[in-house]
Amino acid sequence: MRDLVNGVWADCTTEVGITLEDPATGLETGPALGSSPERVEAALAAADALGAWISDDKADILESVAAKVAETAGEIVALESKATGVPIRQTTPLGMILAGAFALAAGQLRSGLLTSTTTREDGREVLVERLPWGPVACLVPWNAPAPMAAHKVANALAAGCPTILKPSEYAPFGTERLALAIDEALKEAGAPAALFQLLHGGAAVGGQIVADPRIRAVSFTGGLGGGRAVAAACAYDIKPVQLELGGNNPLIVMPDADEDVAARAAADLLTTLNGQWCRALGRLIVPAGREEAIAAKVLARVGALKTGDPSDDGTDYGPLIHSGHRAAVVKAREDLGGTIHEAAITGPGNILAPSLVTGADPARTTDEIFGPVAAVHGYHDLDEAITLANGTRYGLEGYVIGADENKALETAKRVRAGEVKVNGSSIMSLHLFTPRPAWGISGYSEEGTAETLLFFTNPRVVGVEGGFALHSPS
């Protein structure tokens, strides 16, 4: 592992305290390494000295970054698959986000998103311009780190913010390769050395970055515990924080739904990224009396998936990232109570058969598991279904499957979540330019094609006093 500080790459030598594994075999591959406190301080000082990136060529430079990243996308998605255990047939389409994020950010700049004017009746204009906060930090998790890093970094740079990126200590390699491509493109364009920097490490490094007053805004994607720590650190300096956290996401199967369609959606949600994603299935809510039948159809579809080496194009479902995480998922599954139904899946390494749990008390199924496990609950009417869907403190994603689209839409509008999909379960958003908000403890300050760029800026209004001003008596 290498970090990048003020234009200089260097080997990391500080042990983080965890041992990395090959998810496909379960074998240890060596200790996770992080940046030293001195390197972190040097990065913070360099970003602070730069302050902001003001350039008329930002859109052109971002497009050159996109081109450089596109050249290395295949290498990046292979590293992501190797580190996380996610099949390469899933990391490859996600890899479209890598270059796409920089191209989209450039397009937002060209559209004039950050500048607008309003003309008063007297003909004078009032200018509203969105300016960079200053140095910012982007922290990404281990399940799909490089695509998330690309999205955050592209928009932070588009805003003009000197950016420090820190990937998860569990999966740093794909993000490091992405960072190398970004750095190469920025250097070729003559951008300042401190504009983009990469630091490695665990909570100690993240805490040192986030709590520093020279960091003016933080974008974090990860678990609830980390999100709370980031929010608390940002509160002291009243710095803006963007949090995309976890979810316990419901799928409501309407009474008229085709069970095969519902089973396909549930199976996809249970196994995408091997179940390790914030928008995964948490509660499968079905008409009472049909719990066992629908669960069986879901698990039959899952059982037909091919397991094996995540780097094999034919592999559908892979292992969990680490044996420690696998053990935590197994324990959380057992803590639900009820009856565990496993799919007929086996494999090497940290593989875990996807599971549905029936007969569990809804009061015990409110937490996020972050693995291929979901509870199945029956309902007698749609009011009860909505109560079950909204029965957690999370509010990230919801799903409704039904034959009557209008009734399904009306039901979807009652689900307390930032995004609710009707008859769909794709990992992609409903539309490229809709926001990705969250409710409850699932997060704060929505992400999106425009929203993330706006997050890294603050508006300033400038104009000459007009005829409506109130004057004190002379």
Side-chain angles (χ1 to χ4, degrees):
M1 281 166 271
R2 296 190 304 158
D3 60 20
L4 171 66
V5 175
N6 203 15
V8 177
W9 288 89
D11 291 335
C12 296
T13 58
T14 303
E15 292 198 9
V16 174
I18 63 169
T19 300
L20 300 180
E21 295 177 358
D22 180 346
T25 64
L27 298 177
E28 295 181 351
T29 59
L33 300 176
S35 303
S36 67
E38 293 77 17
R39 292 281 285 178
V40 176
E41 168 58 29
L44 290 165
D48 184 55
L50 177 57
W53 181 38
I54 307 300
S55 171
D56 293 332
D57 300 322
K58 280 195 292 185
D60 290 338
I61 293 172
L62 288 170
E63 287 170 347
S64 70
V65 174
K68 180 72 72 172
V69 169
E71 294 173 2
T72 60
E75 185 179 349
I76 294 169
V77 299
L79 289 168
E80 297 272 273
S81 178
K82 178 71 172 175
T84 64
V86 174
I88 198 165
R89 68 186 306 170
Q90 291 186 35
T91 63
T92 296
L94 284 175
M96 293 171 18
I97 297 172
L98 300 173
F102 291 91
L104 280 171
Q108 293 295 301
L109 289 180
R110 295 190 190 284
S111 74
L113 179 67
L114 300 186
T115 305
S116 63
T117 57
T118 299
T119 303
R120 297 198 309 254
E121 291 182 0
D122 61 3
R124 292 185 181 272
E125 289 187 341
V126 177
L127 173 67
V128 181
E129 52 184 347
R130 300 193 67 97
L131 303 176
W133 283 109
V136 300
C138 298
L139 287 75
V140 297
W142 49 256
N143 57 338
M148 294 185 198
H151 171 70
K152 293 179 189 293
V153 170
N155 285 285
L157 296 181
C161 296
T163 302
I164 295 176
L165 170 65
K166 192 196 86 66
S168 166
E169 63 272 32
Y170 282 95
F173 305 109
T175 306
E176 183 178 314
R177 185 63 188 89
L178 169 68
L180 179 60
I182 296 170
D183 179 52
E184 289 174 348
L186 291 177
K187 284 176 176 172
E188 290 173 5
L195 178 60
F196 171 70
Q197 302 179 91
L198 173 74
L199 296 172
H200 288 294
V205 170
Q208 185 180 352
I209 297 168
V210 169
D212 195 287
R214 291 169 290 187
I215 292 295
R216 308 299 173 82
V218 177
S219 179
F220 172 87
T221 298
L224 178 59
R228 283 174 166 156
V230 169
C234 290
Y236 184 81
D237 290 316
I238 320 297
K239 66 180 68 172
V241 60
Q242 184 180 55
L243 303 173
E244 185 183 22
L245 308 177
N248 186 333
N249 308 295
L251 187 157
I252 298 176
V253 179
M254 298 287 284
D256 66 351
D258 183 309
E259 289 189 357
D260 290 326
V261 174
R264 180 169 60 251
D268 289 345
L269 295 171
L270 196 61
T271 58
T272 297
L273 301 185
N274 304 337
Q276 301 168 124
W277 60 308
C278 57
R279 299 174 192 274
L281 179 63
R283 288 182 161 193
L284 179 57
I285 301 168
V286 305
R290 297 164 63 184
E291 297 94 332
E292 301 284 345
I294 292 177
K297 287 194 172 187
V298 174
L299 295 177
R301 293 190 67 89
V302 173
L305 299 178
K306 179 183 177 182
T307 60
D309 185 344
S311 65
D312 185 338
D313 287 336
T315 298
D316 299 307
Y317 177 79
L320 304 194
I321 188 169
H322 195 276
S323 58
H325 182 60
R326 185 186 188 281
V329 172
V330 170
K331 183 180 186 304
R333 180 180 67 179
E334 294 171 349
D335 288 346
L336 295 180
T339 302
I340 298 171
H341 308 264
E342 281 193 346
I345 276 183
T346 59
N350 297 327
I351 200 84
L352 178 65
S355 307
L356 294 175
V357 179
T358 59
D361 183 346
R364 298 180 65 175
T365 67
T366 59
D367 293 330
E368 181 185 46
I369 292 179
F370 211 71
V373 177
V376 183
H377 296 299
Y379 68 87
H380 295 87
D381 56 45
L382 286 178
D383 287 340
E384 185 180 6
I386 294 298
T387 298
L388 287 165
N390 296 339
T392 79
R393 296 177 65 194
Y394 293 95
L396 186 61
E397 193 93 347
Y399 308 91
V400 179
I401 303 295
D404 186 324
E405 189 175 281
N406 289 328
K407 287 185 179 178
L409 277 168
E410 288 305 310
T411 300
K413 292 175 184 177
R414 299 174 64 190
V415 176
R416 183 178 175 273
E419 185 176 63
V420 187
K421 297 173 181 174
V422 173
N423 293 334
S425 56
S426 169
I427 195 172
M428 300 299 181
S429 297
L430 292 174
H431 189 280
L432 183 62
F433 290 96
T434 56
R436 296 189 296 276
W439 290 61
I441 59 174
S442 284
Y444 177 78
S445 181
E446 71 268 29
E447 292 199 7
T449 301
E451 288 76 14
T452 301
L453 175 52
L454 294 175
F455 167 77
F456 288 113
T457 67
N458 198 39
R460 180 175 66 189
V461 181
V462 179
V464 176
E465 180 183 8
F468 298 103
L470 295 177
H471 296 277
S472 57
S474 56

